[in-house]
Amino acid sequence: MQDISFESRLMQAWLQRGWLARLLWPLSMLFAFVTVARRAMYALGLRRATRLPVPVVVVGNIFVGGTGKTPLTIWLVEALRAAGYEPGVISRGHGAAAAQVPRAVILGGDPRLYGDEPLLIAEQARCPVMVGRRRVAAAKALLQVHPEVNVIISDDGLQHYALARDIEIVLSDSRGVGNGWLLPAGPLRESRHRRRDFTVVNLGRDSVLPAGAIGMTVAGSDAWQLCSADHHRRALADFMHSTEQDRLWGGTRIVAAAGIGNPARFFFTLRNAGLQIIEMPLPDHYNFSANPFAGLDADLILITGKDAVKCRAIESIRNDPRIWVVPVTAHIDGPLAEHIVEKLHERPTA
């Protein structure tokens, strides 16, 4: 729980220009110099970006931490497939073993080999996914194994300039740009004014959509039981109705746990569905080596799909009948898919 507290304090510091942010501001100027220098080396031709034989679409953010890239990536795979493309995804594979070597994600595999997000993308989007620290190598390996792929989506990688890209999608959420400063004084990886082709905002409560941006909402309507072999599903609305036994105890005690970059977004999704929950935020990419649900006073425990790919590999957790997984889906407000397809058609043929 100390890690959670530290993350929370740091995020609060990044959302305002308080004493801690001001103390770190000189370091952010050094970070800015390094960032600008790296970009300049590619712009001046001192380093060359690798252009692949197929178009590349990068989905990323400049705000450190989770903004909803995984649901947007899954949506984009499905949208491009509907437009007649054969998409594949590359990802760094956060926390993956032997990440230096490109590795193809196998459905139902061990998340420790690939990372939780790439495994979730492969299983939900049903497309080829390759992980690797060097995205150029991962993309080449993907095309070698899957020659039918004719467009590559890079999950994150805006700052991985070695890979040439045809379209950049910058995703943000209700936190905007925080205090507007770069790391470590603020939450930004690079300037908020960097170029991009599309800006998508993951909307939350009281979100304001900037001019020219495209709105995205993430919602879930049902849940499936982790210990159920057939993924027995229930509508989220069903959890609002107490059984006779529940009423004796004063109602169903629902705990919502989320080991994602912005747990508050998951909690908002559940409350927006009408549920009364007790929040249990966990560090991003939490590995569940220590079972946080053991001895937890809860009738139901709702977790994210990202956490589920790790929880199902741990016997004491996957056999807990209280745990239900809430898959979420991205919904885009506007013709983003059509605009992306138009830009892909404009790409010069090799």
Side-chain angles (χ1 to χ4, degrees):
M1 300 299 291
Q2 290 181 342
D3 290 338
I4 300 173
S5 177
F6 174 76
E7 288 183 1
S8 177
R9 287 199 301 269
L10 188 59
M11 184 57 65
Q12 287 300 317
W14 283 346
L15 295 179
Q16 54 191 333
R17 297 185 176 183
W19 68 268
L20 180 56
R22 294 179 184 278
L23 182 65
L24 296 172
W25 184 81
L27 293 177
S28 73
M29 292 298 97
L30 177 61
F31 185 84
F33 173 79
V34 173
T35 300
V36 172
R38 287 185 64 239
R39 290 183 64 90
M41 292 182 72
Y42 285 95
L44 297 173
L46 301 177
R47 288 188 178 180
R48 296 182 65 110
T50 299
R51 181 161 292 278
L52 299 174
V54 302
V56 173
V57 181
V58 176
V59 177
N61 56 8
I62 60 173
F63 193 109
V64 68
T67 53
K69 292 188 303 296
T70 299
L72 179 57
T73 298
I74 293 170
W75 174 89
L76 184 55
V77 169
E78 295 171 345
L80 289 176
R81 185 182 292 129
Y85 286 90
E86 292 289 344
V89 175
I90 59 172
S91 176
R92 183 178 181 273
H94 186 280
Q100 294 283 1
V101 180
R103 187 188 298 271
V105 176
I106 298 175
L107 298 182
D110 188 341
R112 292 173 298 182
L113 296 177
Y114 319 114
D116 45 23
E117 290 163 344
L119 185 55
L120 180 61
I121 292 170
E123 294 184 351
Q124 287 199 2
R126 296 287 165 169
C127 71
V129 179
M130 188 74 66
V131 299
R133 187 176 299 275
R134 296 184 177 88
R135 286 178 175 80
V136 172
K140 289 181 176 179
L142 176 64
L143 293 175
Q144 184 175 12
V145 177
H146 294 278
E148 74 279 7
V149 167
N150 54 15
V151 59
I152 287 179
I153 302 169
S154 177
D155 174 32
D156 211 353
L158 280 177
Q159 294 79 36
H160 194 83
Y161 309 124
L163 177 61
R165 66 286 310 268
D166 299 274
I167 297 175
E168 289 185 331
I169 303 173
V170 177
L171 178 64
S172 63
D173 59 16
S174 58
R175 296 169 295 181
V177 294
N179 61 16
W181 286 346
L182 298 182
L183 292 168
L188 303 186
R189 297 171 173 174
E190 55 184 322
S191 170
R192 74 181 93 173
H193 303 298
R194 80 176 317 278
R195 71 159 300 278
R196 78 279 303 274
D197 296 286
F198 302 103
T199 299
V200 177
V201 178
N202 190 352
L203 300 172
R205 182 180 288 118
D206 301 325
S207 293
V208 177
L209 191 63
I214 298 170
M216 179 180 89
T217 54
V218 177
S221 60
D222 60 10
W224 55 271
Q225 193 173 26
L226 189 64
C227 69
S228 173
D230 60 354
H231 284 186
H232 173 59
R233 287 179 176 263
R234 286 178 61 183
L236 288 180
D238 290 347
F239 295 129
M240 297 179 355
H241 304 301
S242 299
T243 64
E244 183 64 31
Q245 182 179 3
D246 291 332
R247 282 194 291 271
L248 293 174
W249 290 92
T252 303
R253 182 180 174 88
I254 303 176
V255 171
I260 58 178
N262 186 5
R265 190 184 309 113
F266 180 63
F267 304 146
F268 171 76
T269 298
L270 297 178
R271 288 199 171 93
N272 206 37
L275 299 183
Q276 295 185 3
I277 60 171
I278 300 168
E279 298 180 1
M280 186 179 184
L282 298 168
D284 194 14
H285 301 287
Y286 187 69
N287 62 16
F288 294 92
S289 57
N291 184 354
F293 310 132
L296 184 65
D297 181 16
D299 302 301
L300 291 170
I301 302 171
L302 303 180
I303 65 173
T304 71
K306 175 178 169 178
D307 293 320
V309 298
K310 292 169 290 192
C311 288
R312 71 188 183 196
I314 302 173
E315 185 176 2
S316 63
I317 298 180
R318 73 166 177 264
N319 291 329
D320 189 335
R322 300 174 300 166
I323 300 177
W324 291 71
V325 183
V326 182
V328 295
T329 304
H331 302 273
I332 304 298
D333 301 328
L336 177 60
E338 291 86 343
H339 292 329
I340 291 173
V341 170
E342 287 175 5
K343 289 190 72 69
L344 291 178
H345 286 331
E346 294 171 0
R347 185 183 192 263
T349 56

